[in-house]
Amino acid sequence: MKGIAMEQVHIIGAGLAGSEAAWQIAQAGVQVVLHEMRPKVETFAHRTGDCAEIVCSNSFRSDDDQMNAVGQLHWEMRAAGGLIMAMADKHRLPAGGALAVDRDAFSAAVTAALTDHPLVSFAPGEITELPTEGRWIVATGPLTSAALGQSILQATGEGALAFFDAIAPIVHADSIDMSICWLQSRYDKGETEAERTAYINCPMTKADYEAFIDALLAADKTEFYEGETAGYFDGCLPIEVMAERGRETLRHGPMKPVGLTNAHNPTEKAYAVVQLRRDNALGTLYNIVGFQTKMKYGAQTEVFRRIPGLQHASFARLGGIHRNTFLNSPLLIDDRLRLRTRPNLRFAGQVTGVEGYVESAAMGLLAGRMAAAEALGRDLPPPSPATSMGALVNHITGGADAKTFQPMNVNFGLYPPLDEMRGGRKGRKDRYPAYTDRAKADFRAWLAAQ
């Protein structure tokens, strides 16, 4: 990799994140080289060699920038001159309050815009090793090639790179009924009060448990895609598979009631207990411990709301198990999206541990702007954590617990709380616009500072 001009930035991967990063760099007046292995090297999901090919849903989700965190992220990307949002708007389809796109026209338009840009060049072919020189952005997405994945693994250390998601559902803390649940770690373990009360516990009677198992076994499940394998999951089986191995399996596994005393009714022993563990430093999100699943999303909502205390649960994300290469970013990535041990390498997109098309593209936008600023002799900090973009960066680079880190969509649970809402009105109609008003002001200030 010798002889690379320092004013250039190289990007590995021309998906949503890589394409957005390339656009931002070129728009800043810096040359960019985009490396894409498709179509020469195929994946089990992609069909073409186009940039920003959409392989799953064609929805970019809510476009409401007042009441929705992803809608606010759309707003921020438009404000920053994002290519992905510009082409999505140009090729949008009717979808109510959501932003859906004509996937083929969208990808073709992104490809054409990059091809036509005088500062963007393409270098087809697979990059199999992390480069040691020059400025690079790794934006290879969830289907990172085996060779490059191995190189990333060697650079980051064993256990720092996951090749599959085993995702437990994540619940907004303020939607949990604490008149039913209580805070306690098993056997009151921990040296501090925070450690001794680190889990939210949902008690089940025998009737609750039996009904839950019945619903779990009857729920619709998704299948593994070609190219995925269930063999990996012997150590973290889906809860429905555990239930199929015997009705008492979960009660002796993630739902065991031992070491716990119901603070609301200390004399009554629960037959089973579902535990939720804090998922972010703010304490606004909790994940359901051990509840990775292949249930379809609609079934998950129905089944999990059978758990006492979660009957009105609002989910920041639902569970899943699927092929997805991602870094343990809280340990490895700084807030400029650089690999701490090799700062010539930035990472962007799903490989950083964000989830979703728009979130991936947003990390590409930031990585591109940061790389361009560096090439021009400047330093660019991330936006405020009170913005959607800044909240995501904050989450993946330190806000999340590295021990339990899993990919995350943007949601208001990642935002810092609103001081003015702590003791006053807390309804969504008040809180959500207050979040997005603050986010817009902070994001405008971030752009103006550049």
Side-chain angles (χ1 to χ4, degrees):
M1 296 293 175
K2 294 186 183 297
I4 295 169
M6 292 305 289
E7 66 272 11
Q8 283 187 335
V9 180
H10 290 250
I11 300 173
I12 308 175
L16 290 156
S19 296
E20 185 63 65
W23 182 257
Q24 294 293 327
I25 293 165
Q27 289 293 89
V30 176
Q31 290 186 338
V32 59
V33 182
L34 195 50
H35 301 259
E36 173 55 57
M37 68 179 187
R38 298 178 290 113
K40 183 178 180 180
V41 179
E42 297 179 342
T43 75
F44 72 84
H46 292 90
R47 298 181 295 108
T48 75
D50 283 349
C51 298
E53 181 183 341
I54 296 175
V55 299
C56 297
S57 167
N58 69 329
S59 175
F60 284 15
R61 311 196 321 279
S62 174
D63 203 32
D64 183 346
D65 64 31
Q66 281 200 311
M67 298 294 291
N68 190 284
V70 73
Q72 171 61 28
L73 188 56
H74 291 180
W75 183 94
E76 292 171 16
M77 294 175 71
R78 289 181 178 116
L83 175 65
I84 294 303
M85 289 307 301
M87 295 302 102
D89 288 336
K90 187 175 180 179
H91 298 284
R92 70 186 301 157
L93 300 173
L99 173 58
V101 303
D102 179 331
R103 69 178 74 223
D104 292 336
F106 164 79
S107 297
V110 172
T111 304
L114 291 171
T115 301
D116 291 344
H117 201 294
L119 293 180
V120 178
S121 60
F122 287 82
E126 182 181 5
I127 300 291
T128 58
E129 294 184 8
L130 286 176
T132 57
E133 296 182 9
R135 291 189 178 89
W136 291 76
I137 296 174
V138 182
T140 48
L143 301 179
T144 299
S145 71
L148 185 59
Q150 186 60 36
S151 180
I152 295 171
L153 191 64
Q154 290 171 354
T156 56
E158 194 69 34
L161 185 68
F163 291 99
F164 284 83
D165 280 349
I167 302 168
I170 295 174
V171 179
H172 288 281
D174 60 7
S175 69
I176 300 170
D177 188 345
M178 295 304 294
S179 69
I180 295 173
C181 307
W182 74 96
L183 291 165
Q184 184 190 8
S185 295
R186 205 176 297 278
Y187 297 110
D188 296 308
K189 288 185 178 179
E191 296 182 359
T192 66
E193 182 65 14
E195 291 171 341
R196 290 189 290 271
T197 57
Y199 293 81
I200 293 176
N201 299 279
C202 307
M204 282 188 173
T205 64
K206 183 175 183 179
D208 292 333
Y209 179 79
E210 294 293 343
F212 179 77
I213 296 298
D214 287 341
L216 196 60
L217 294 174
D220 288 337
K221 284 89 175 177
T222 59
E223 301 297 325
F224 286 94
Y225 291 107
E226 182 184 353
E228 294 183 318
T229 173
Y232 170 86
F233 304 111
D234 287 345
C236 56
L237 291 168
I239 54 168
E240 60 272 12
V241 172
M242 285 190 272
E244 288 168 357
R245 294 186 174 185
R247 294 184 68 87
E248 293 290 293
T249 302
L250 284 170
R251 205 169 73 86
H252 294 281
M255 295 174 68
K256 59 182 179 286
V258 298
L260 297 166
T261 302
N262 189 335
H264 303 297
N265 193 351
T267 61
E268 184 175 307
K269 188 70 175 177
Y271 188 75
V273 173
V274 174
Q275 287 197 305
L276 292 89
R277 177 175 51 223
R278 180 182 286 206
D279 202 75
N280 66 343
L282 295 172
T284 54
L285 301 172
Y286 279 75
N287 69 72
I288 310 180
V289 178
F291 269 45
Q292 59 273 359
T293 178
K294 289 291 282 185
M295 282 190 289
K296 292 183 178 179
Y297 283 172
Q300 287 187 48
T301 301
E302 181 180 344
V303 172
F304 295 146
R305 284 180 178 158
R306 291 176 174 268
I307 298 169
L310 301 187
Q311 60 270 27
H312 302 299
S314 173
F315 294 93
R317 72 159 300 153
L318 291 163
I321 299 178
H322 57 86
R323 173 81 160 84
N324 188 7
T325 305
F326 66 95
L327 295 166
N328 192 340
S329 291
L331 287 178
L332 301 170
I333 303 297
D334 69 16
D335 65 359
R336 269 57 168 183
L337 300 175
R338 297 172 299 202
L339 191 62
R340 295 180 191 274
T341 56
R342 293 170 65 174
N344 70 308
L345 300 173
R346 278 184 168 82
F347 284 80
Q350 280 192 235
V351 74
T352 65
V354 298
E355 184 82 353
Y357 295 146
V358 184
E359 291 87 340
S360 296
M363 293 304 97
L365 187 152
L366 278 182
R369 283 190 167 231
M370 289 172 170
E374 186 179 78
L376 295 169
R378 300 194 298 267
D379 175 58
L380 178 62
S384 156
T387 65
S388 278
M389 221 175 282
L392 282 169
V393 173
N394 181 63
H395 181 73
I396 65 175
T397 61
D401 185 345
K403 294 179 181 178
T404 58
F405 183 62
Q406 292 289 348
M408 174 65 75
N409 293 110
V410 68
N411 63 83
F412 287 131
L414 301 182
Y415 279 44
L418 290 152
D419 290 338
E420 65 270 23
M421 292 290 173
R422 288 182 186 275
R425 296 174 298 172
K426 296 184 180 180
R428 293 179 183 179
K429 289 183 178 179
D430 297 314
R431 191 168 70 249
Y432 289 177
Y435 277 138
T436 55
D437 287 348
R438 180 181 64 175
K440 288 179 176 67
D442 284 5
F443 198 79
R444 287 189 186 102
W446 180 74
L447 289 175
Q450 299 171 49

